[in-house]
Amino acid sequence: MISVKDQAKALSNSATRPNAKENATHLIRDAKDDTQEVQVPDRKALYFLNCENCEYTVQGKPIKLSIENCKNLVLKVEDKILTGTVDIWKSGNLSLHFDRSVSTFQLDNIQSIAVRLPDAEHFGSMVWAGCEDVNLHLGRLFVAMLVLDGGLSDRTDLILTFIRLETSMETGGDVHTLSYTDLQSRNPSLRPETDQFKTTVVDGSIMTEAVVRLDNGFPATRAEQANLRQLEKQKDELLRGSQAEDE
């Protein structure tokens, strides 16, 4: 099992070595009190490291976006992120605005972040651990209800929705706020070092579920795991039927 923290550590180590993928990464490092437009060459990863009190407008089509150990950072991403992947860890007080779809957010150890997308159709999923004050702006959305499935002894069956829904006058839409502390107050057995959650939009409601790992290490919810197993079972049955006909 590879946690978000382990993934972040591996990426951090590779990015800080002198020759680590330098030709494939557009790195902005140790910036302070900076405001500018950032033109990213297409098909390069964009990496913000140790930046503080900065505001950037990102232009171009990076492969992915990574943010590490940044504070008071404002980003507006105007174009498409080619893989649809945004990784953020060990950071605080971030404001991120995306004009195009993001399929996967991965957050670890974040203290206050606002993520804005045009609407729910532009949002894929968010895998997160040990985060506080996560504010997700998806335009007008839906009131979600708290659902618990399973007891404290079986955390992988735990289904949790965003615990607070507020109306944002600034965006004219809804702000969905999530905090690990609030979840842990309802479920004391949760552990910030190991427990991860995945937030998605399901059947018109925004929902957060405990993460389980598939055989290939991919993070999924228990419902997604069950659906995948059902599809695999159906494929096996079709294959056996085809083999029987050939005989």
Side-chain angles (χ1 to χ4, degrees):
M1 180 184 297
I2 302 176
S3 68
V4 171
K5 183 179 293 184
D6 292 336
Q7 296 173 33
K9 183 178 180 181
L11 181 57
S12 174
N13 289 340
S14 67
T16 53
R17 289 196 298 267
N19 298 314
K21 299 182 180 179
E22 290 181 355
N23 293 330
T25 303
H26 188 85
L27 177 64
I28 298 178
R29 181 173 188 173
D30 300 327
K32 306 291 183 186
D33 304 311
D34 189 23
T35 300
Q36 62 172 297
E37 292 184 352
V38 177
Q39 184 66 48
V40 183
D42 287 354
R43 309 195 69 80
K44 276 198 171 187
L46 177 58
Y47 197 146
F48 293 93
L49 177 64
N50 300 332
C51 298
E52 187 172 351
N53 300 324
C54 296
E55 183 171 349
Y56 298 110
T57 298
V58 177
Q59 299 174 338
K61 298 179 180 179
I63 292 230
K64 67 181 296 185
L65 171 63
S66 299
I67 301 171
E68 177 186 4
N69 198 33
C70 293
K71 297 179 181 178
N72 305 324
L73 177 66
V74 178
L75 289 184
K76 178 176 174 56
V77 183
E78 296 183 341
D79 217 327
K80 180 179 181 181
I81 297 174
L82 294 179
T83 61
T85 301
V86 176
D87 294 331
I88 311 170
W89 61 100
K90 295 181 180 178
S91 298
N93 196 23
L94 308 181
S95 179
L96 312 180
H97 184 111
F98 299 89
D99 289 343
R100 304 288 291 273
S101 296
V102 177
S103 57
T104 305
F105 290 92
Q106 294 198 63
L107 277 61
D108 182 61
N109 192 15
I110 305 298
Q111 302 296 318
S112 186
I113 180 173
V115 177
R116 293 175 172 84
L117 296 104
D119 52 45
E121 293 184 357
H122 286 73
F123 173 74
S125 65
M126 178 183 288
V127 177
W128 61 275
C131 298
E132 299 293 340
D133 193 26
V134 178
N135 296 281
L136 185 59
H137 302 245
L138 298 178
R140 289 289 178 188
L141 208 57
F142 352 80
V143 176
M145 296 182 64
L146 182 67
V147 180
L148 294 177
D149 180 12
L152 297 179
S153 62
D154 188 3
R155 292 191 311 277
T156 58
D157 282 340
L158 190 62
I159 300 177
L160 297 150
T161 64
F162 281 109
I163 48 84
R164 187 163 76 252
L165 185 65
E166 298 175 345
T167 299
S168 169
M169 300 302 294
E170 176 185 359
T171 63
D174 294 324
V175 183
H176 305 269
T177 302
L178 184 62
S179 166
Y180 178 84
T181 299
D182 288 325
L183 299 184
Q184 191 177 45
S185 68
R186 293 163 170 77
N187 303 275
S189 63
L190 295 178
R191 301 186 301 272
E193 300 83 6
T194 57
D195 287 305
Q196 293 177 285
F197 302 91
K198 185 174 182 179
T199 299
T200 54
V201 176
V202 179
D203 296 331
S205 294
I206 193 163
M207 182 174 292
T208 297
E209 301 176 70
V211 163
V212 296
R213 291 282 171 174
L214 303 179
D215 293 339
N216 61 4
F218 188 81
T221 65
R222 180 56 62 92
E224 291 171 337
Q225 183 186 53
N227 290 338
L228 180 60
R229 288 176 176 173
Q230 181 62 28
L231 288 174
E232 291 175 345
K233 181 180 178 181
Q234 291 173 355
K235 289 179 181 179
D236 289 342
E237 291 173 350
L238 288 173
L239 179 61
R240 287 195 296 269
S242 176
Q243 290 173 343
E245 290 177 1
D246 292 339
E247 294 175 357

